[in-house]
Amino acid sequence: MAAGLTLHKLHGLGNDFLVALVDEMPGDADAARTAGALCHRRRGVGADGLIFAVLDPAAAEADRFATMRLWNSDGSPAEMSGNGLRCLAHAIAVTLAAAELDIVVNTVAGPRRCSIRPIEIPGTVVGTTEMGSLGPGPLPDRLSRSPEAAVAGILGPGAIERWDTIDVGNPHAVLSVADPAAVPLPEAGPAVEALFSGGMNVHFGAVTGADEVTLGVWERGAGATAACGTGAVAAAAVFHRWGEVGHNVTVRMAGGNARVDLSGPVTLTGESTYVAAVDVAGV
C-alpha cells in the first residue's frame, strides 16, 4: 500500500477491525496482501478483518453514502460484516467529528443502512444496521458427509441436535448443541466448514433463555472470534424458524450481546468501541 495510510482500529463486541478511509478502492490482490499483513496478531496491527471504504464527498450530511470492501485476516474477501458495518460507521463519525451518524453503505451483498448513537461509555456507540433479506444457505458439497458426522469424533455422537444453513448476505451454518461453551471451536469449526467448497461461517448455538440464544462463533477467513454480527442474525433467524425464539432475540457471544429484530426489516443492534488511530508507513 502507499505510504501514509491511516487505520482506525475498532471492535464490535470484541470482533475487531481495521478501517481505512481512502479516496480510491485498492485492487483485490493488493488489498488481500495488505489485510494479511496488517491483521496479523504479532507482525501487524492485529484484527479479524480489514475494511477499505470510500466516503462519497458530494453527499449531503443527511444523505451520507459510502462503499466498503472487507478482507478477512487471512486475506480472503468477505461479502459483508454486521459488526464491521457498525465499526465502519463509527470510524466515519469519528473522522467527521459527528456524535451521531446515519449512513448507507454499499457492500458486495448490497446496500445496508446503519445508524449510530453515543452512549455513556467513552469511545463507545450503539449502532443499528439493516441487514437486508435472508435466504437459504448452501448445502454441504464436499466429503459426502453431514455436519453431524463431521464433528462426531470431536463432540461425540448425537451432539448436534439439528442444523440448517442461511444466507445473510454471506453464508452461515447454524448447529444446535446442548452447550456452546463446551464446543472446541478451532477443531469443530473447520470440520464443518470443510464440507462447503465456498467456505462457511459456522455457529454452535443453544436457546438459553426466553428469546435468547448463546452462540459460539467460527468465521470463514478469521477463525474463532468473539462475536459475529451476521452470525447473530443467522442464529436468531434459524432458531426462530425452528420455533424456539420469537422475533426479537438477544444473542449472547463471548464478546458481548447483540440484539436481532426479525419483525420487519431485519436489524442488528450492538456496540462499537473505538480503540485507536494508527498510521502505517507502508505494507
Side-chain angles (χ1 to χ4, degrees):
M1 295 300 297
L5 183 66
T6 296
L7 302 172
H8 302 269
K9 178 159 184 176
L10 309 94
H11 72 84
L13 305 178
N15 186 197
D16 58 342
F17 297 90
L18 302 174
V19 177
L21 302 178
V22 294
D23 295 327
E24 184 178 357
M25 201 67 69
D28 288 354
D30 194 17
R33 178 182 60 82
T34 302
L38 291 177
C39 291
H40 196 283
R41 295 290 179 184
R42 291 181 175 83
R43 299 187 178 94
V45 180
D48 292 325
L50 170 62
I51 296 171
F52 282 103
V54 178
L55 180 64
D56 183 359
E61 183 174 339
D63 193 27
R64 295 284 185 191
F65 181 86
T67 298
M68 70 167 271
R69 295 294 181 268
L70 168 63
W71 280 266
N72 295 313
S73 58
D74 69 351
S76 62
E79 299 88 348
M80 63 168 292
S81 165
N83 290 332
L85 278 163
R86 195 165 66 250
C87 288
L88 169 58
H90 191 179
I92 292 173
V94 169
T95 300
L96 298 175
E100 302 182 355
L101 182 72
D102 294 285
I103 189 167
V104 174
V105 180
N106 182 37
T107 76
V108 173
R112 300 290 188 266
R113 181 174 294 278
C114 187
S115 302
I116 62 167
R117 301 290 182 267
I119 58 176
E120 294 179 355
I121 304 172
T124 299
V125 302
V126 64
T128 296
T129 302
E130 294 181 3
M131 299 299 292
S133 60
L134 311 182
L139 295 177
D141 58 354
R142 279 186 176 174
L143 305 180
S144 300
R145 290 195 296 167
S146 68
E148 296 98 330
V151 299
I154 301 170
L155 304 181
I160 304 302
E161 298 170 357
R162 52 178 158 178
W163 64 274
D164 205 348
T165 65
I166 188 169
D167 190 285
V168 187
N170 56 357
H172 297 262
V174 178
L175 296 84
S176 176
V177 296
D179 181 9
V183 176
L185 293 169
E187 298 174 45
V192 175
E193 186 181 4
L195 304 179
F196 301 86
S197 60
M200 181 64 78
N201 298 289
V202 182
H203 310 288
F204 300 87
V207 173
T208 50
D211 291 334
E212 176 187 291
V213 173
T214 295
L215 203 64
V217 173
W218 174 265
E219 290 200 67
R220 177 187 59 172
T225 60
C228 177
T230 53
V233 174
V238 168
F239 277 93
H240 175 73
R241 181 188 301 165
W242 290 336
E244 297 188 39
V245 295
H247 286 95
N248 291 280
V249 185
T250 296
V251 181
R252 298 189 179 278
M253 296 168 283
N257 301 340
R259 299 186 300 279
V260 179
D261 186 350
L262 303 167
S263 62
V266 177
T267 61
L268 169 72
T269 300
E271 294 180 356
S272 166
T273 299
Y274 192 93
V275 177
V278 181
D279 291 330
V280 294
V283 181

